[in-house]
Amino acid sequence: MSLFDLRLQELHNKLHAKEITVTDLVDESYKRIAAVDGKVQAFLKLDEEGARETARQLDGQAGEERGLLFGLPIGIKDNIVTEGLTTTCASQFLRNYNPIYDATVMRKLKRAQTVTVGKLNMDEFAMGGSNENSSFHPTYNPWNLDYVPGGSSGGSAAAVAAGEVYFSLGSDTGGSIRQPAGYCGIVGLKPTYGLVSRFGLVAFASSLDQIGPLTKNVEDSAYLLQAIAGHDPQDSTSLNVDIPDYLSALTGDVKGLRIALPKEYFGEGIDPKVKDAVLTALKVLEGQGAVVEEVSLPHSEYAVAAYYLLASSEASSNLARFDGVRYGVRAENPNNLLELYTRSRSEGFGPEVKRRIMLGTYALSSGYYDAYYLKAQKVRTLIKQDFDQVFEKYDVVIGPTAPTTAFKIGSQIDDPLTMYLNDILTIPVNLAGVPAISVPCGFADGLPVGLQIIGKALDESTILRVAHAFEQTTEHHKQRPQL
């Protein structure tokens, strides 16, 4: 049995009793990476020298200085800035970018004394839903290597599912933590917008992006969220609120809890096997005393269109800084400044990034702003109001994480519209800024199915409580892929 199969508290007790060392945990991580990452390809960059040096330092610390996350190996999505460790966003444009500072979440993880194993693969600049848009190489689903792991945090999900790290961090703009978590059979949490600092997260769409944990179980998700949440004056969108004790929410009790079941989440395009797995999961929660009722979120059908206008518009603005002048790859021997910009961007950006920049620039252009961008913002408000009205009566909203299980590599890469529709159930959450978690709830044709639990803004405690209660009476989260 791998050390990573132990619960976090069990590992902490073993470390405290000196039955194992941090070096043992780091050895376990790199041994597993050596054994399986040639197949999974979750990592873009390993920091073995730095990780082993950190492990040696931590092993010399007194026991009373050790927190619960002490010594645990973690993987970091490659759009989160890491001092002294290349941060590429899986793009050729940043293949030589070596940051001189840490993202806020990295500083918090260092205070929690985790060990960074390396940087994880992703869709370029977080634009994609399959991890096939990485400019370096695709990542493969540990459950079946012919299938995608989801995206854009596909490397973060695959590394945890494959047992290469204890847990990882990803980012979620339209479902990029929850969808790969669902595809890979692990737990993925998108916190309330502003709960976790975005300082040091390379921006895709600033009003939608949020960093969050990918873990093997709900308890670990609560521990990791506790470590990274909190106000950050370096992030103007960071919320200055008290952070509750998320662990105290894991009571296993959902008696009397009111669950909303949106009829729009079970309509056309939902795989019948996915629908059956989710409805079976709801019966489990009903058996624990929760009350399930059907509701309507009428503006959900417009979410994908609104999202791709808004996200692409913000991407067009954010990625304007990548011009070959200050950092990143620069075109060689340009004849003038305009050619420097044009060639650097043409050579540095991949096709999906170019597609979204073009769409966003068009939506923001004179004569089209009101027709597209402004209208999309109004639809976003309506979607948020739908959630607000449902949450006046219900505690959580539950549905599938994705309409299908993972799809085969290469099957949708040339069909961007079909690829975009894979996020149809996760996108409304980002538009509304509310928290949501994906937990494993079964299998369809040998591939994991994700159950999405959506909560009120800043009510992570409730979605963690529901997810944990479901997890305690099922075995899905204990299943591991056989690589």
Side-chain angles (χ1 to χ4, degrees), residues 99-352:
I100 58 172
Y101 70 100
D102 268 328
T104 297
V105 289
M106 295 308 301
R107 295 200 302 269
K108 286 175 174 278
L109 288 176
K110 285 179 178 177
R111 282 202 293 273
Q113 300 176 310
T114 61
V115 181
T116 300
V117 169
K119 302 301 287 293
L120 292 158
N121 200 14
M122 56 184 282
D123 287 300
E124 184 181 2
F125 284 104
M127 298 181 191
S130 68
N131 224 127
E132 294 168 283
N133 290 324
S134 169
S135 74
F136 295 100
H137 54 74
T139 296
Y140 300 90
N141 193 316
W143 288 94
N144 187 324
L145 297 171
D146 293 330
Y147 288 76
V148 302
S152 61
S153 306
S156 298
V160 175
E164 296 177 292
V165 287
Y166 197 80
F167 37 42
S168 66
L169 286 187
S171 67
D172 193 311
T173 306
S176 290
I177 287 173
R178 290 158 290 149
Q179 183 244 42
Y183 283 0
C184 290
I186 62 169
V187 176
L189 172 64
K190 185 210 91 74
T192 302
Y193 181 78
L195 183 68
V196 177
S197 172
R198 291 185 300 109
F199 179 76
L201 173 69
V202 179
F204 162 18
S206 303
S207 75
L208 300 162
D209 299 338
Q210 187 66 113
I211 296 170
L214 293 106
T215 60
K216 299 190 303 297
N217 58 55
V218 175
E219 185 180 52
D220 291 353
S221 189
Y223 279 117
L224 195 47
L225 179 63
Q226 198 79 52
I228 63 173
H231 178 61
D232 178 14
Q234 291 179 290
D235 174 6
S236 62
T237 60
S238 177
L239 298 173
N240 194 358
V241 294
D242 293 331
I243 304 301
D245 177 8
Y246 295 117
L247 272 300
S248 65
L250 308 185
T251 61
D253 178 23
V254 292
K255 191 171 183 181
L257 187 109
R258 300 187 66 81
I259 296 173
L261 193 66
K263 60 183 181 182
E264 291 82 4
Y265 287 14
F266 292 89
E268 187 181 350
I270 304 297
D271 184 324
K273 292 179 180 176
V274 170
K275 182 178 179 179
D276 288 346
V278 171
L279 293 177
T280 300
L282 283 162
K283 286 189 177 72
V284 171
L285 291 168
E286 280 185 304
Q288 293 174 298
V291 178
V292 179
E293 293 178 1
E294 187 176 82
V295 299
S296 178
L297 294 170
H299 296 98
S300 296
E301 63 178 299
Y302 308 113
V304 173
Y307 169 83
Y308 278 99
L309 281 167
L310 295 173
S312 298
S313 296
E314 293 184 24
S316 169
S317 176
N318 278 325
L319 270 63
R321 72 192 70 179
F322 299 105
D323 52 16
V325 175
R326 287 157 292 185
Y327 46 77
V329 171
R330 177 185 295 205
E332 294 184 7
N333 304 316
N335 292 316
N336 52 52
L337 186 63
L338 182 59
E339 186 176 311
L340 169 66
Y341 290 166
T342 305
R343 284 182 46 209
S344 294
R345 289 167 173 164
S346 297
E347 295 165 15
F349 291 138
E352 181 61 29

